[in-house]
Amino acid sequence: MANTAANSFYGTGRRKTSSARVYLRQGSGKVSINGRTLDEFFGRETGRMIVQQPFGAVQLDGKFDVEAHVEGGGITGQAGAIRHGITRALMAYDETLRSPLRKAGFVTRDAREVERKTIDRFWGIV
């Protein structure tokens, strides 16, 4: 969570097994994920909505361009990781945004993982 250049802000986001590196720059609201546009990367509206939530929570829609590199996990986990990264980058931009972002529930990492299946559970021997 650091200011990497004069007007570029960085945040790392994680959810489940997904990890995202997010860079924010002053701009017009373009979102690039792994070199693809938001619409190309997320086929469903829910993924696109999750990624845009932090900007709506602090009324900064269309003020920043986002460049994200995400890997691991599935589509929903990747969307959550990008949202977490955007949140952390916004806090690097302006620390006063922490309170509304926390109230919206975006600051805390969702650390839930899929529970490992064991042979005992599979056979009903608990």
Side-chain angles (χ1 to χ4, degrees):
M1 293 188 300
N3 187 349
T4 56
N7 30 329
S8 177
F9 302 91
Y10 172 77
T12 302
R14 293 182 192 88
R15 183 170 193 276
K16 292 190 171 183
T17 57
S18 300
S19 179
R21 294 172 292 148
V22 178
Y23 299 89
L24 294 184
R25 290 177 187 82
Q26 298 279 338
S28 59
K30 291 187 289 187
V31 179
S32 170
I33 304 168
N34 292 353
R36 295 160 48 191
T37 66
L38 182 65
D39 294 335
E40 289 172 0
F41 194 82
F42 291 110
R44 293 189 174 169
E45 183 62 35
T46 53
R48 294 186 285 244
M49 180 194 69
I50 289 170
V51 168
Q52 298 289 350
Q53 284 176 332
F55 295 117
V58 293
Q59 288 82 37
L60 289 175
D61 291 319
K63 302 278 193 232
F64 290 96
D65 290 341
V66 178
E67 185 177 334
H69 305 281
V70 65
E71 56 188 28
I75 295 297
T76 305
Q78 289 184 346
I82 294 168
R83 177 177 71 183
H84 189 229
I86 290 172
T87 300
R88 291 175 117 183
L90 283 171
M91 290 188 307
Y93 163 70
D94 184 0
E95 190 61 34
T96 62
L97 299 177
R98 178 181 290 273
S99 180
L101 289 168
R102 180 169 291 287
K103 282 184 182 147
F106 304 145
V107 174
T108 307
R109 178 187 183 234
D110 184 359
R112 290 180 292 177
E113 298 281 343
V114 176
E115 184 177 342
R116 183 176 162 267
K117 292 181 183 168
T118 62
I119 255 330
D120 292 344
R121 291 187 59 116
F122 179 76
W123 291 106
I125 307 166
V126 180

